[in-house]
Every structure is written in structure tokens, then in C-alpha cells.
């Protein structure tokens, strides 16, 4: 084991920092602002991603912002940011206003946008990137002066233009202004048919030749029937082969015994492994069982429950420990933690 791997392991043990790929310097720092997929309004899906060494990042979803920044500050996850303890603005405010360059939103469900909406009154101008269906819903059904003032630059007058809606074309790399990042959006299927169907999004984020793949809510291809995950896996398989894909963020909303007919466009640990199997076969058809070995897979969006008994998080963590056919490094996202990937 090289010396810096030893250092990273020690750091991981002492500070609660999850260092996923020991032996190579991290390419991305990700701070978990919210890890749950519903119910806990102070811990809904949101992540801040920084290229390693940069103090300007982007938000991947924004279910919880302010409360998540507060927890992350308390856990020391922003220790490397140059925050001014005597500034006029609180530390939470400085993180939000000065260190988040843009929002990337996977889909407009409330558990992915509530923090963005509630923080908008005190935010600084920045773009919101997303596929057109996501931005259309935010403009027409959220920032419409009925649900909330129109802080975007389109839609119902008067427009306050704090947020510029920046549509992403599927499968095309776009620069994220103000950062060294490039992002490519891929559509995902997220439940149901007709009026209950949603388009969700996977974002492939690149910096300096390294990539990270973040998926919003999605159901398995076998149930959704549109082949969108296979198309995504096909697009990223060469990056896994080249060992430049540093991590995959993937949801597991329910434990594995959750009935397929009640998934509503979500995954379970069993379905996570099934989908990773598709990716593994595309990466190395001759030896899929080793194709993803040690790849960090960060599990997001575990749904809380009001039921007593074993918490879904504990159950899902156990299931991921007990069944890991591709030898990936499962990391259960935890609010306030910093992941070095
Ligand atoms: Zn969700
Ligand atoms: Zn959703």
C-alpha cells in the first residue's frame, strides 16, 4: 500500500471522511447536504460537489440546503473553505452565497428542490441547469408567484431573474460557468405512465479528465421499460474501463423486499445490483464479476418511514453488506459528511 493510501485511511478513520478510492489523489470532494428521499424535511436529497482543490462547487439537487449546510459545518466538512468568522453573513450564508456556483436539478419533485425554493430569497444570482422538462415545471408550477415568487428569468411577470434557467441538451457536454466542470445530462425514467410519469436525470460531471456520475431518482429498466439506464451504462462503460470514473451516486429508496409494483420509479439494493450487473457486462463482457471492483457506489435517497422497527437505512446498509456481487465500495450517503472521491 503506498504511503498516501495509509494517510487517507487514517484520515477516514479519524474525521469521518469517506475516502473511497485509496491510492490515487481525490478528484472530487462531495459534501452530503441531505441523504433521504422524503419525510425528513431537514435532510432531503442534495449534494455539493467541488473539484479537488477548488472552493467553488455546484449543487447536485437541492432538497435541503440551509439545514444541510449547518450540519456539514458542525461536522467540519467545510473546513477547507475560506469562511470569514467575523463577516456580516453567517457561515451558512457564506457557503450558500459564495461557494455554490450553480444548481443541477435532476427533476422537480419537492424532495429535490425544496431547499432551492426556500433559500432563493437569500441566495445570490446563479444558473439552474437541467433537462427542459425539469426547468419547465420549475418555471410554470413553482416559481409562478402562486407557489413562490418568480426568482427565475422566464415565465410569469415580473421576473426577478436571480436564477437563469439553463436547459441542457441530452448527451451533450456543457461547461458550468465559474467552475472547471463540464456536465452531460442523460434522461432517466422515474415511474408510472401518462400523467404520473416523470423524467429524471443523470449528470455526468467531468473535471480534468476525471468523472463522477450522479443519478437522480430512477426505476430499473426491467420495470420502467424504456432502456434509459442501459443507454446511460453504455455511455459511461468506457470511462469505467479507463478507470477515470471516480464514483457513481445511485438511489436505493426502499429495502429489497419492497414489492416491484410499488416502487414508483425507484430502486432497492437488489435492483441496484441488477443494474450494476448490466454496467459490469458492458465494461467487460468476459469478466463482469471483476469489472467494477472497488468502484465507489454512493447510495442516496433512502426513504424514511414512520413505522417502528428496523430503520430502512440500517436494513439497506445490511443488505448492501450481504450482497455485493461486483465487489464495489458501497458508501451510504450521510448528511454532513464529506466524501473524497
Ligand atoms: Zn426523490
Ligand atoms: Zn422523484
Amino acid at each position: 500500500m503506498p504511503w498516501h493510501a495509509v494517510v487517507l485511511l487514517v484520515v477516514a478513520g479519524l474525521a469521518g471522511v469517506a475516502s473511497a478510492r485509496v491510492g490515487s489523489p481525490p478528484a472530487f470532494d462531495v459534501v452530503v447536504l441531505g441523504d433521504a428521499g422524503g419525510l425528513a424535511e431537514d435532510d432531503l436529497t442534495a449534494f455539493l460537489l467541488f473539484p479537488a482543490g477548488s472552493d467553488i462547487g455546484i449543487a447536485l439537487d437541492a432538497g435541503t440546503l440551509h439545514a444541510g449546510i449547518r450540519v456539514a459545518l458542525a461536522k467540519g466538512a467545510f473546513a477547507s473553505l475560506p469562511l470569514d468568522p467575523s463577516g456580516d453573513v453567517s457561515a451558512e450564508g457564506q457557503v450558500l452565497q459564495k461557494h455554490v456556483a450553480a444548481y443541477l436539478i435532476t427533476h422537480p419533485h419537492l424532495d429535490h428542490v425544496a431547499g432551492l425554493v426556500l433559500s432563493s430569497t437569500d441566495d445570490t444570482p446563479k444558473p439552474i441547469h437541467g433537462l427542459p422538462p425539469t426547468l419547465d415545471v420549475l418555471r410554470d408550477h413553482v416559481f409562478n408567484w402562486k407557489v413562490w415568487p418568480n426568482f427565475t428569468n422566464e415565465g410569469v411577470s415580473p421576473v426577478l431573474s436571480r436564477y437563469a434557467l439553463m436547459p441542457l441538451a441530452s448527451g451533450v457536454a456543457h461547461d458550468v460557468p465559474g467552475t472547471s466542470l463540464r456536465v452531460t445530462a442523460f434522461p432517466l425514467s422515474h415511474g408510472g405512465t401518462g400523467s404520473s410519469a416523470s423524467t429524471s436525470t443523470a449528470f455526468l460531471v467531468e473535471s480534468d479528465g476525471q468523472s463522477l456520475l450522479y443519478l437522480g431518482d430512477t426505476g430499473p429498466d426491467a420495470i420502467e421499460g424504456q432502456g434509459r439506464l442501459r443507454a446511460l451504462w453504455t455511455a459511461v462503460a468506457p470511462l469505467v474501463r479507463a478507470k477515470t470514473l471516480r464514483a457513481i451516486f445511485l438511489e436505493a429508496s426502499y429495502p429489497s423486499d419492497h414489492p416491484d409494483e410499488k416502487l414508483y420509479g425507484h430502486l432497492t439494493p437488489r435492483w441496484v445490483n441488477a443494474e450494476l450487473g448490466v454496467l459490469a457486462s458492458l465494461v467487460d463482457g468476459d469478466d463482469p464479476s471483476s469489472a467494477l471492483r472497488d468502484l465507489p457506489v454512493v447510495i442516496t435517497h433512502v426513504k424514511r418511514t414512520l413505522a417502528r422497527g428496523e430503520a430502512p437505512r440500517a436494513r439497506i446498509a445490511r443488505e448492501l453488506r450481504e450482497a455485493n456481487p461486483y465487489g464495489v465500495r458501497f458508501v451510504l450517503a450521510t448528511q454532513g459528511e464529506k466524501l473524497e472521491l
Side-chain angles (χ1 to χ4, degrees):
M1 184 182 286
W3 68 268
H4 50 276
V6 177
V7 172
L8 285 170
L9 283 173
V10 171
V11 169
L14 288 181
V17 176
S19 175
R21 182 162 283 199
V22 291
S24 55
F28 302 98
D29 290 339
V30 178
V31 177
V32 183
L33 297 187
D35 63 54
L39 205 52
E41 62 268 65
D42 60 348
D43 190 6
L44 299 171
T45 305
F47 300 85
L48 290 187
L49 177 149
F50 301 86
S54 170
D55 57 26
I56 305 291
I58 58 171
L60 295 163
D61 282 327
T64 292
L65 291 180
H66 187 263
I69 292 171
R70 202 165 51 218
V71 173
L73 281 165
K75 290 190 178 182
F78 294 123
S80 62
L81 295 186
L83 303 176
D84 178 0
S86 57
D88 293 338
V89 175
S90 67
E92 292 95 319
Q94 291 177 48
V95 173
L96 179 75
Q97 294 178 346
K98 295 183 178 173
H99 298 283
V100 180
Y103 297 102
L104 272 61
I105 302 296
T106 60
H107 67 301
H109 282 166
L110 276 179
D111 52 324
H112 300 255
V113 302
L116 166 64
V117 175
L118 294 171
S119 297
S120 59
T121 51
D122 294 83
D123 206 352
T124 42
K126 49 194 71 159
I128 302 175
H129 301 271
L131 289 174
T134 299
L135 301 185
D136 291 350
V137 171
L138 286 177
R139 179 194 60 225
D140 296 342
H141 300 290
V142 178
F143 291 109
N144 60 3
W145 289 106
K146 291 190 169 66
V147 172
W148 202 250
N150 185 3
F151 282 99
T152 79
N153 60 338
E154 297 178 14
V156 179
S157 295
V159 297
L160 301 174
S161 292
R162 178 160 295 168
Y163 296 131
L165 300 178
M166 309 277 279
L168 299 170
S170 291
V172 179
H174 295 71
D175 290 327
V176 181
T179 73
S180 62
L181 300 168
R182 284 171 73 72
V183 61
T184 308
F186 297 87
L188 298 175
S189 307
H190 179 31
T193 52
S195 59
S196 70
S198 294
T199 296
S200 179
T201 310
F203 294 117
L204 180 67
V205 184
E206 304 167 61
S207 176
D208 202 18
Q210 303 293 306
S211 302
L212 181 148
L213 182 65
Y214 174 83
L215 285 85
D217 297 1
T218 187
D221 277 356
I223 292 177
E224 299 283 329
Q226 294 186 292
R228 284 175 163 174
L229 281 171
R230 173 172 276 275
L232 175 67
W233 302 142
T234 302
V236 303
L239 306 177
V240 179
R241 223 174 284 131
K243 303 204 180 299
T244 58
L245 187 71
R246 306 299 289 243
I248 298 175
F249 284 59
L250 195 50
E251 68 133 286
S253 294
Y254 305 108
S256 291
D257 65 354
H258 197 83
D260 285 349
E261 63 274 17
K262 291 187 178 167
L263 282 178
Y264 305 116
H266 293 293
L267 299 172
T268 65
R270 182 169 64 87
W271 281 114
V272 164
N273 281 325
E275 287 295 343
L276 289 176
V278 178
L279 173 60
S281 299
L282 291 163
V283 171
D284 186 350
D286 294 331
D287 187 12
S289 63
S290 323
L292 306 181
R293 192 156 300 281
D294 295 332
L295 178 70
V297 175
V298 181
I299 297 297
T300 70
H301 204 266
V302 173
K303 283 192 183 280
R304 307 284 178 87
T305 173
L306 296 177
R308 294 192 200 275
E310 186 180 22
R313 256 184 88 79
R315 174 93 174 271
I316 284 172
R318 180 161 52 78
E319 290 179 355
L320 294 169
R321 273 196 307 276
E322 289 172 358
N324 182 2
Y326 301 98
V328 301
R329 292 195 50 158
F330 283 122
V331 177
L332 199 53
T334 302
Q335 187 181 40
E337 278 195 357
K338 177 173 156 182
L339 307 170
E340 297 180 338
L341 299 164

